[in-house]
């Protein structure tokens, strides 16, 4: 996989570039605004410098009175104001580009995650995905707000100045023109330098963080072995080692920008000396004789401005590099299915299923009932995971699924929930308004207890929340917390134990309008006491007339069930029991 | 102002390298002065030649200024290159210092706090905070100083030619500098200070969305949760927009100030010129110099509107370092009658431990005689590992005491205590280092033969012999992928190398297959003989043979031994 990715590296990079460009499509007005403002600032600078040169020339050469040159002063002030405002406009428009692209990419990523569904996301690291959604998207901003507009400005503004200088004195323009064909070369140089710099730094920082994280993670062990002190030295020693290594790269990488600096500085020097000698009449050829203080000073003032946009671009080059780096990961996430042909079977499963469940209305299935007809589930090119199997569950039944891990219990529940679509056969379930889902790791969102419950019933009143908590066996816990329903949960709030979290999930089931409840090993991670409480809750759920389909190993839950099925190698077989299900409900 | 105190310890770290910082700032200054010299001398030169051409004599010494211009052109390039290289070197040095400092702070923390550290998110956040502080010098400390020095120096220079120009320069540029630093910092404070937290909350919402997708989808609650996400994102974007606009406005004010200062100096010069107090070339030189010297102010608004975020990073790292003071105590005294190698007694007397609101133990008693082998059985999370952590003084209990060889552990120096205990933790914590280095953590002086010997005892010798690099093979997170059983046995071998009189083994056989389990059990039985041993496991079968076995059960107030 890694080798394959490396071989397609260049096409991957161009793909990321194309994707980055494509994202700019929807923010074009703001982008144009940024470029327009940048051009305006460039022209205002031109006017300002021209007026300044004119003013000096008039006063020094013609001994003009200040009143005579007032128009020049006014022009300078006006140009300064326009320049400052245009710069402000460029920044604001550019930032708007960046912000909008970020929001747009984020919403696209979120939609993508939902489309992939819980089954396909299970193999991914949630913290990694979150960092893609937040941090990597964040690193796109500079590319749109600074780099892209500056790309145009770095080409256009020097050209404008060159034309003006040419008009003033073609020989001076030649000096700049010598640099002009070099501009693409500069850009390439800057690009190579900045890229190498970025790669080197990125590599060093990644390795360094890797080492640092490794040692921090193991601090407890280091303490046990009495090695903590020594490790402190080691951590900074490793950092110094990386410093020495990355400096070697930096020495070369900084050279490219030094070349640009050198050209900019030397051009100013050459032009100043040429103009000075020309004014003194030492230069007899070319247009030197037409030079006067106005044109000389004007050209001198424009020379540094000629190179400024390029220098700015080189400063923003790292924005491009980090955006490209982020884009690679984001593109991979957004068109995952290209990489993985299996995905075709599961992508968009939920939507497919919704239409299928419309069909099921024709079957006239009662809410809470489930009917599977000749269902098969297989991944493309691989063995069958499930089926063919058939299952009929009436509303209000409790069905337990038993089987070793990997036998397909979870897949069956996921099929019923609609997270994946069957490869053959039909799943008839009424999925509106909701299906209740409960697995080993209930979702606790950061927010109050009430917010956590209202996720599944947005309009529920406080009394209903309390009632549901009581039914789930959290009544006592609730009355022991001072903030009651406003108790903050999640990372910064009160930590719930595994059992409490599971009972909170149970309260959600009681609260939701769902009549079908799917449970994937609900008691697997619990201690015996909590286990009893959760099972009591489940019994209540069943008594309330809801349909329960439970994948479980737990004997007590099996006894509770009205029907038992064993799953082995994807096949479903009913298990006969000696005692009749009727007396088990008690 | 108080808020800035958070940066103080970090500025302290920086100041240990004040020589380098000073030299780096001087190089920045040299770059700025070269640019200043190049532009103002060129302006002077052109005007002087024009004036000379108009005058009767038409003579001017062109070689001195010409040479000066060339010199400045070269020195600007050279000083810029050197400055970048030198300052990047400094930053990397600071990075090493800062990490060392943070790590030293973390090393002093107790086991409970450290268990939180494990969360990779927390770690990543901390790394990001350190990275933010790496840039403290280059973004926030050096640039304003360089700007201040250059503005004052140039104003003095201007004062020599035209006192009014010098005064006007100071009158405009100094307040402008205060605005670009303190003003922008104050202006962007709230938005940048909370930006990090906002981003963090957005990350939490993203994780919820991913981890809870099954529930959210089936309950049809995706839209409801999406709304929470959108609210956070909106808040973040609004803050960023506000910061961006304020930075842009700050830049606008700075540009206006710089350009108007240039114009003011020019107009003053023109007046002085007409009154014959000043020459034309000098006037142009001062005006262009003002333009060049002000460049130092240009990047300040951008850096300082973000000051809040830097301070926030420092605050979080400070909070980390202050979490707990390290435990201290006197070294363990060995009984006169015995050497340090003799098996000690380990006694828990009326021990109570609270985990937040929850009681883990209240009034727990347990005595292990010298040389006795005790097993503790119980479900995960019941408090077995807490027993072990108390023995190594990872933290002190809220009530009662633990005694090592009749000395209360709470009064003992942790390092001296831990040197006498071999503790195999529940997780096999291997480091990204060589196999040999991982093993030698147990005994730094162990010879290769001893390492091979212990590998043989844990049934890993054959495997290690197949490795092309043998003991020099890299293991750990980014190293060679080890199976859980292999990692477990390396961790066990490491503990065995310690050869300590008290041994605590937490689930020593987890992850091993049946054959290996049997072999390692037999080996341990021999090796443990004559040592005081505490064995922890979820099941009696998962432990080597022991003299007596207790079961930890959930009770009314915390877990109880049965």
């Amino acid at each position: 996989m890694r080798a394959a990715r490396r071989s397609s590296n260049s096409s991957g990079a161009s793909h990321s570039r194309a994707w980055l460009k494509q994202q700019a499509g929807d923010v074009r007005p703001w982008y144009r605004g940024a470029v327009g403002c940048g051009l305006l600032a460039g022209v205002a600078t031109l006017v300002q410098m021209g007026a300044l040169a004119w003013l000096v020339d008039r006063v020094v050469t013609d001994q003009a009175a200040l009143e005579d040159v007032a128009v020049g002063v006014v022009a300078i002030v006006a140009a300064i104001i326009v320049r400052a405002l245009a710069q402000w406009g460029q920044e604001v428009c550019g930032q708007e580009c960046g912000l909008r692209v970020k929001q747009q990419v984020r919403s696209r990523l979120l939609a993508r995650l939902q489309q992939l569904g819980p089954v396909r996301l299970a193999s991914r690291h949630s913290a990694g995905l979150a960092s893609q959604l937040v941090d990597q998207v964040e690193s796109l901003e500079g590319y749109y707000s600074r780099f892209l507009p500056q790309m145009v400005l770095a080409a256009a503004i020097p050209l404008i100045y060159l034309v003006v200088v040419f008009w003033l004195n073609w020989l001076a323009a030649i000096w700049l023109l010598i640099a002009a064909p070099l501009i693409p070369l500069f850009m390439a140089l800057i690009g190579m330098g900045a890229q190498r710099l970025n790669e080197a730094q990125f590599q060093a920082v990644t390795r360094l963080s890797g080492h640092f994280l490794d040692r921090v993670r193991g601090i407890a062990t280091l303490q046990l072995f009495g090695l903590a002190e020594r490790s402190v030295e080691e951590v900074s020693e490793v950092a110094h080692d990386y410093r020495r290594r990355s400096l070697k790269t930096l020495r070369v990488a900084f050279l490219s920008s030094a070349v640009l600096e050198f050209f900019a500085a030397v051009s100013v020097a050459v032009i100043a000396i040429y103009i000075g000698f020309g004014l003194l009449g030492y230069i007899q050829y070319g247009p030197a004789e037409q030079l006067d203080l106005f044109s000389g000073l004007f050209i001198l003032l424009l020379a540094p401005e000629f190179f400024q946009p390029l220098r700015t671009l080189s400063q923003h080059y790292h924005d491009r590099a980090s955006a490209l780096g982020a884009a690679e990961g984001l593109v991979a996430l957004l068109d995952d299915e290209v990489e993985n042909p299996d995905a075709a079977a599961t992508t968009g499963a939920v939507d497919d299923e919704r239409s299928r469940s419309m069909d099921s209305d024709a079957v006239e299935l009662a809410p809470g009932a489930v009917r599977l007809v000749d269902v098969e589930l297989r991944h493309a090119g691989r063995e069958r995971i499930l089926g063919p199997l058939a299952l009929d569950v009436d509303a209000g039944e409790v069905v337990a699924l038993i089987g070793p891990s990997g036998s397909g219990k979870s897949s069956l529940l996921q099929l019923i929930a609609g997270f994946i679509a069957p490869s053959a056969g039909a799943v008839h379930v009424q999925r509106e308004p909701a299906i209740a889902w409960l697995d080993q790791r209930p979702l606790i969102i950061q927010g109050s207890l009430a917010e956590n419950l209202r996720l599944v019933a947005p309009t529920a009143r406080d009394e209903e929340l309390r009632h549901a908590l009581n039914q789930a066996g959290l009544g006592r816990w609730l009355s022991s917390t001072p903030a009651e329903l406003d108790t903050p949960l999640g990372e910064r709030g009160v930590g719930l134990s595994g059992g409490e979290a599971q009972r909170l999930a149970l309260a959600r089931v009681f609260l939701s309008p769902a009549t079908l409840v799917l449970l994937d090993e609900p008691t697997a991670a619990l201690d015996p006491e909590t286990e009893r409480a959760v099972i009591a809750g489940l019994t209540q759920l069943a008594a309330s007339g809801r349909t329960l389909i439970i994948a479980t190993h737990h004997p007590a839950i099996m006894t509770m069930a009205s029907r038992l099925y064993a799953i082995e190698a994807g096949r479903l077989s009913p298990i006969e029991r000696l005692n009749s299900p009727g007396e088990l409900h008690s | 102002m108080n808020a800035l105190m958070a940066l103080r310890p970090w500025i302290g770290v920086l100041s240990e390298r004040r020589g380098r910082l000073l030299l780096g700032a001087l190089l920045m200054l040299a770059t700025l002065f070269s640019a200043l010299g190049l532009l103002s001398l060129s302006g002077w030169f052109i005007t002087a030649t024009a004036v000379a051409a108009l005058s009767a004599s038409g003579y001017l010494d062109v070689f001195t200024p010409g040479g000066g211009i060339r010199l400045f052109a070269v020195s600007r390039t050279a000083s810029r290159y050197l400055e970048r290289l030198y300052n990047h070197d400094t930053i990397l040095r600071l990075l090493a210092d800062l990490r060392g400092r943070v790590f030293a702070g973390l090393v002093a923390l107790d086991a409970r706090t450290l268990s939180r550290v494990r969360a990779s998110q927390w770690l990543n956040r901390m790394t990001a905070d350190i990275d933010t502080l790496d840039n403290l010098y280059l973004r926030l400390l050096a640039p304003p100083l360089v700007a201040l020095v250059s503005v004052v120096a140039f104003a003095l220079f201007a004062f020599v030619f035209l006192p009014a120009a010098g005064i006007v320069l100071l009158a405009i540029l100094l307040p402008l500098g205060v605005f670009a630093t303190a003003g922008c910092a104050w202006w962007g404070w709230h938005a940048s200070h909370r930006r990090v937290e906002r981003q963090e909350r957005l990350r939490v919402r993203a994780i919820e969305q991913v981890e809870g997708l099954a529930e959210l989808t089936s309950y049809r609650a995706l839209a409801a949760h999406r709304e929470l996400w959108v609210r956070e994102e909106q808040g973040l974007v609004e803050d960023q927009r506000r910061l961006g606009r304020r930075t842009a406005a700050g830049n606008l004010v700075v540009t206006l100030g710089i350009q108007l200062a240039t114009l003011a100096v020019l107009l003053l010069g023109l007046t002085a010129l007409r009154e014959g107090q000043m020459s034309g070339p000098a006037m142009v030189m001062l005006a262009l110099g003002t333009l060049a010297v002000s460049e130092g102010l240009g990047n300040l608004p951008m850096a300082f509107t973000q000051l809040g975020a830097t301070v926030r990073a420092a605050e979080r790292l400070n909070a980390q370092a202050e979490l707990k003071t390290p435990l201290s105590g006197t070294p363990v005294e060995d009984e006169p009658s015995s050497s340090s190698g003799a098996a000690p007694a380990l006694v828990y007397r009326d021990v109570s431990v609270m985990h937040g609101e929850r009681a883990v133990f209240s009034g727990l008693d347990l005595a292990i005689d010298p040389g006795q082998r005790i097993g503790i059985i119980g479900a995960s999370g019941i408090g077995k590992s807490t027993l072990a952590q108390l023995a190594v003084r990872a933290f002190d209990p809220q009530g009662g005491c633990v005694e090592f060889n009749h000395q209360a552990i709470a009064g003992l120096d942790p390092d001296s205590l831990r040197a006498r205990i071999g503790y195999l933790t529940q997780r096999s914590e291997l480091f990204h280092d060589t196999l040999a280095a991982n093993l030698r953590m147990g005994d730094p002086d162990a010879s290769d033969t001893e390492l091979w010997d212990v590998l043989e005892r844990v049934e890993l010798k054959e495997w290690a012999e197949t490795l092309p690099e043998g003991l020099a093979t890299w293991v750990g997170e980014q190293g060679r992928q080890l199976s859980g059983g292999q990692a477990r046995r390396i961790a066990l071998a490491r503990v065995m190398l310690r050869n300590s009189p008290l041994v605590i083994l937490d689930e020593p056989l987890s992850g091993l297959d049946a054959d290996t389990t049997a072999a390692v059990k037999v080996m341990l039985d021999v090796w443990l003989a004559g040592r005081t041993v505490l064995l922890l496991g979820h099941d009696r079968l998962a432990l080597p043979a022991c003299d007596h076995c207790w079961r930890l059960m959930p009770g009314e107030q915390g877990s109880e031994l049965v």
Side-chain angles (χ1 to χ4, degrees), chain A residues 9-64:
Chain A
N9 215 359
S10 59
S11 75
S14 68
H15 192 43
S16 312
R17 270 201 295 276
W19 182 82
L20 281 178
K21 289 237 168 69
Q22 199 186 323
Q23 304 311 308
D26 298 330
V27 291
R28 192 133 293 158
W30 291 102
Y31 167 69
R32 288 199 185 122
V35 172
C37 285
L39 287 175
L40 184 61
V43 173
T45 307
L46 189 71
V47 172
Q48 184 198 347
M49 297 308 175
L52 201 112
W54 178 80
L55 190 69
V56 170
D57 181 42
R58 289 277 291 142
V59 174
V60 171
T61 315
D62 308 336
Q63 270 96 40

Side-chain angles (χ1 to χ4, degrees), chain A residues 48 63 91 95-96 102 126 135 138 208 214-215 217 223 243 251 257 435 443 446 508, chain B residues 81 84 89 93 95 107 109 203 205 208-209 211 215 218 240-241 251 259 274 432 477:
Chain A
Q48 184 198 347
Q63 270 96 40
E91 279 185 60
Q95 199 211 10
E96 208 52 47
K102 283 193 302 185
S126 56
D135 306 293
E138 211 48 54
L208 201 56
D214 186 58
R215 301 297 135 132
R217 244 179 238 133
Q223 286 175 339
R243 174 182 64 82
R251 252 175 237 143
S257 62
I435 293 179
L443 168 68
Q446 198 158 313
R508 276 199 196 124
Chain B
Y81 176 72
R84 288 190 75 183
D89 188 14
R93 277 172 206 263
L95 183 133
V107 155
L109 296 180
R203 201 173 291 132
R205 291 285 181 233
E208 287 170 6
Q209 173 94 205
E211 289 185 345
E215 266 173 273
S218 54
Q240 287 175 332
R241 183 171 286 132
N251 285 335
Q259 301 298 342
R274 288 197 51 81
H432 180 56
E477 188 134 313

